[in-house]
């Protein structure tokens, strides 16, 4: 699989420059391409994104308002997706002194890819003023703009810096979440759930109290609460378990936990299976997970929990589980050889684990 950074390759820049040359007669496309690709091999994905914005500024009008006008003219012809984050990144870099224009541009450009990273630069500079605008975005008719209100203000947005003030005081984004708690678009609801999941990592009690006050009979709201609670449920947080009637005091036995091999090669599957038997006279609602303890480059282990199944285990009932876990390198995970562990987790409680070795040829 081609690395993600190759989205920003010479072919992309030639097309990108051609679009800008078509809408701005003063844009020197050849000079831009040569400049922006001069040190391309030294840069990773986000480095290439930022470098594109910096070099682009050298070939656009010096006046920010005129430069943004060129961005608007070019935007309909650019390829959609991650590479269009160049537009909001440019605004974030050079639009701090033009707050209203920058807010309007970030709102408009977010439908092309996302302005979630760009808006954070303004949150860092003037949190109160920027959040006031984002609260208005939460009521926008465009789902991309509504999502931006939630995603851009997440306390711990991946691939971005933390918003420490919101981590300290999560109520700062409560108005945004309240407006979006029953949104009809799954795209938006996923962001709200991830925002709440971020909050749960630093302010568990606050997050749980917030969602307990929401109308859980609304299917959209209930979906958000369930997805937002996934980390707490995996950890066995009793309050989050009770929100969905998962058994807090499990009584069961694990039997016949087997793995297919103790030596797995990168690119192969590890097959595992086990049985859960009830030791309780009443039904138990269970969330069954498993965790892989991956070896890191340092030789230490990093635990990753995977969802397996939700079941209702009846008295005297036994349920068998089986699963194949593939081991291959991903853009988000690189594997290292050595001793790994797999463990079974039920309602946050670790039941049993086995070890195996991963080999890499």
């Amino acid at each position: 699989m081609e690395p993600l950074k190759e989205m920003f390759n010479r072919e992309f820049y030639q097309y990108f420059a051609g679009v800008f040359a078509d809408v701005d007669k003063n844009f020197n496309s050849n000079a831009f391409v040569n400049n922006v690709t001069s040190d391309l091999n030294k840069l990773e994905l986000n480095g290439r994104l930022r470098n594109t914005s910096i070099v682009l500024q050298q070939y656009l009008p010096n006046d920010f308002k005129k430069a943004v006008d060129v961005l608007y003219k070019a935007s309909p012809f650019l390829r959609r997706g991650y590479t269009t984050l160049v537009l909001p990144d440019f605004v974030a870099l050079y639009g701090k002194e033009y707050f209203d224009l920058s807010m309007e541009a970030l709102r408009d450009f977010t439908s092309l890819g996302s302005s979630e990273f760009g808006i954070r630069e303004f949150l860092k500079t003037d949190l109160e003023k920027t959040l006031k605008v984002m609260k208005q975005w939460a009521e926008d008719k465009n789902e991309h703009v509504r999502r931006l209100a939630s995603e851009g203000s997440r306390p711990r947005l991946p691939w971005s810096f933390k918003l420490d003030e919101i981590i300290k005081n999560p109520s700062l984004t409560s108005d945004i979440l309240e407006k979006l708690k029953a949104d009809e678009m799954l795209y938006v609801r996923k962001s709200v759930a991830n925002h709440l999941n971020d909050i749960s990592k630093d302010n568990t009690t606050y997050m749980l109290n917030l969602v307990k006050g929401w109308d859980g009979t609304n299917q959209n709201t209930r979906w958000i609460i369930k997805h937002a609670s996934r980390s707490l449920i995996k950890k066995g947080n009793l309050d989050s378990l009770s929100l969905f009637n998962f058994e807090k005091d499990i009584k069961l036995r694990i039997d016949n936990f087997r793995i297919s091999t103790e030596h797995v090669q990168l690119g192969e599957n590890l097959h595992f299976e086990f049985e859960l038997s009830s030791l309780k006279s009443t039904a138990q609602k269970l969330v069954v997970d498993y965790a892989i303890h991956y070896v890191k480059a340092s030789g230490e282990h990093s635990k990753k929990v995977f969802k397996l199944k939700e079941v209702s285990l009846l008295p005297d009932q036994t349920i068998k589980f089986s699963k194949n876990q593939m081991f291959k390198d991903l853009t988000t995970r690189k594997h290292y050889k050595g001793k790994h562990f797999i463990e079974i987790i039920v309602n946050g409680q670790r039941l049993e684990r086995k070890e195996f070795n991963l080999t890499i040829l």
Side-chain angles (χ1 to χ4, degrees), residues 99 122-123 125-133 135 165:
F99 182 82
F122 292 87
L123 286 167
T125 302
D126 194 331
L127 182 69
E128 183 178 357
K129 189 176 182 180
T130 307
L131 281 177
K132 185 177 180 180
V133 174
K135 290 172 185 177
E165 290 187 60

Side-chain angles (χ1 to χ4, degrees), residues 19 39 53 75 89 116 122 147 155 183 203 214 236 241 250 280 320 347 357:
V19 169
D39 291 317
S53 302
S75 62
D89 190 61
E116 64 198 62
F122 292 87
R147 177 187 180 272
D183 200 278
N203 300 277
W214 290 358
L241 289 171
I250 61 171
K280 202 165 189 175
K320 183 175 181 178
N347 291 13
N357 281 284

